Amino acid sequence: MNILLTNDDGLETNGLKALYQELKQLGKTTIISPITQQSAVSHAITIFSPLFVEKVSNYLPDKTHIYAVRGTPADCVKLALGKILKKKPDIVISGINAGANIGVDVFYSGTVAAAIESALWGITGFAVSLEKPNNTIKLDFSSAAKSAVKIIKSLLRSKPPKGSIFNINLPAGNGNRIKGIQYTRQDCGFLPDQFVSGIDPRGRKYYWVKPIPKKCQPKPKTNGFLISDIKALKEGYVSITPLKANLTDGSYTINLS
Ligand code: MN
């Protein structure tokens, strides 16, 4: 099996390396990833400047070279599938993101966007994120990667249609704390953003969006998976949400008059 691995946290994260170590046993894994932090860039792509790619051979402990891209996660997947990879991968994996991508995060996440981009090409994509309840906790990417690969293997055994998208979120304190796995719906409960403001050293006023706790949707309208991704993760379950790229709302019809 051929695997493309990318992420949105850039190269200075242990999430990417940890996932690579575990994916090696699943197939030939190629990393094509942004160099810099790209969290919350969503599905952005670079169109008014060229993409520069460096082949780096001292990033991984086994010295397998990686492609480091000055671009976004979606750029990486496009470039990998459209140009760099001679053979199309069987799956694309994005992660492990430092921090959950649940609820409305899905709209802003570069991690999830990479998996969606892969689905647009007809290749099944997996987004993998690890919950980070606060800034002091040390994330155990190594055990999260082990769990993630087990989950990916079992999802592949169920033979999902080509171009499926799975948004996988692992609870923090992985290993001991995992209660089980839940198939979930994306919870679109929304709280208005809060901003802190201040004056920068040059006297300019700024606004900075604050992280706020997530809110669960009161009554889901969906007929599909009923457990919310936010709730499942909070209760210590791994959350797997099947997503789709087509955003059409087929739940009602409009009669133009
Ligand atoms: Mn990120």
Side-chain angles (χ1 to χ4, degrees):
M1 176 145 79
N2 284 301
I3 302 165
L4 167 64
L5 176 60
T6 190
N7 80 349
D8 84 352
D9 292 337
L11 298 183
E12 285 182 28
T13 167
N14 293 322
L16 184 68
K17 276 185 193 168
L19 197 48
Y20 173 83
Q21 288 307 328
E22 294 303 317
L23 283 172
K24 280 203 292 185
Q25 38 144 323
L26 197 58
K28 186 179 177 290
T29 303
T30 308
I31 294 183
I32 303 183
S33 202
I35 298 176
T36 58
Q37 177 56 258
Q38 297 290 317
S39 293
V41 302
S42 185
H43 213 128
I45 54 169
T46 305
I47 54 169
F48 288 116
S49 64
L51 287 171
F52 293 98
V53 183
E54 290 167 41
K55 219 169 162 179
V56 181
S57 57
N58 60 0
Y59 180 73
L60 294 169
D62 68 8
K63 304 290 174 216
T64 301
H65 67 258
I66 68 156
Y67 297 88
V69 181
R70 294 222 170 262
T72 68
D75 282 333
C76 290
V77 175
K78 279 185 184 292
L79 193 60
L81 302 182
K83 190 70 185 173
I84 295 176
L85 295 176
K86 301 237 160 21
K87 196 173 179 295
K88 294 265 184 297
D90 300 287
I91 54 172
V92 173
I93 300 179
S94 178
I96 297 174
N97 187 64
N101 277 307
I102 46 177
V104 293
D105 294 340
V106 167
F107 300 117
Y108 312 112
S109 165
T111 306
V112 175
I116 296 173
E117 180 62 34
S118 131
L120 297 179
W121 291 72
I123 298 168
T124 296
F126 299 85
V128 183
S129 307
L130 176 59
E131 185 191 22
K132 187 182 174 189
N134 57 58
N135 285 327
T136 52
I137 194 168
K138 196 174 176 313
L139 296 176
D140 184 356
F141 284 118
S142 148
S143 72
K146 285 189 176 73
S147 307
V149 171
K150 258 190 230 164
I151 290 160
I152 289 166
K153 271 186 186 167
S154 78
L155 284 170
L156 289 173
R157 275 197 297 274
S158 77
K159 300 212 183 308
K162 281 199 163 96
S164 302
I165 307 161
F166 295 102
N167 183 27
I168 303 169
N169 281 278
L170 299 144
N174 196 274
N176 338 338
R177 229 195 102 216
I178 289 190
K179 277 202 203 153
I181 295 169
Q182 302 267 24
Y183 288 94
T184 57
R185 65 179 166 86
Q186 182 196 358
D187 192 322
C188 284
F190 185 75
L191 280 174
D193 285 309
Q194 292 172 18
F195 291 84
V196 287
S197 55
I199 305 289
D200 86 351
R202 289 189 167 75
R204 299 170 301 185
K205 183 156 193 184
Y206 67 78
Y207 301 93
W208 205 338
V209 69
K210 245 172 90 172
I212 49 172
K214 296 242 157 29
K215 187 188 173 189
C216 288
Q217 212 170 13
K219 278 183 198 153
K221 282 184 187 163
T222 173
N223 298 319
F225 303 104
L226 291 178
I227 303 149
S228 127
D229 52 1
I230 299 174
K231 191 162 184 276
L233 199 65
K234 211 174 177 181
E235 291 177 356
Y237 291 93
V238 174
S239 163
I240 305 176
T241 314
L243 300 176
K244 57 180 183 156
N246 190 329
L247 300 177
T248 310
D249 187 351
S251 67
Y252 61 93
T253 51
I254 297 169
N255 295 311
L256 292 175
S257 53

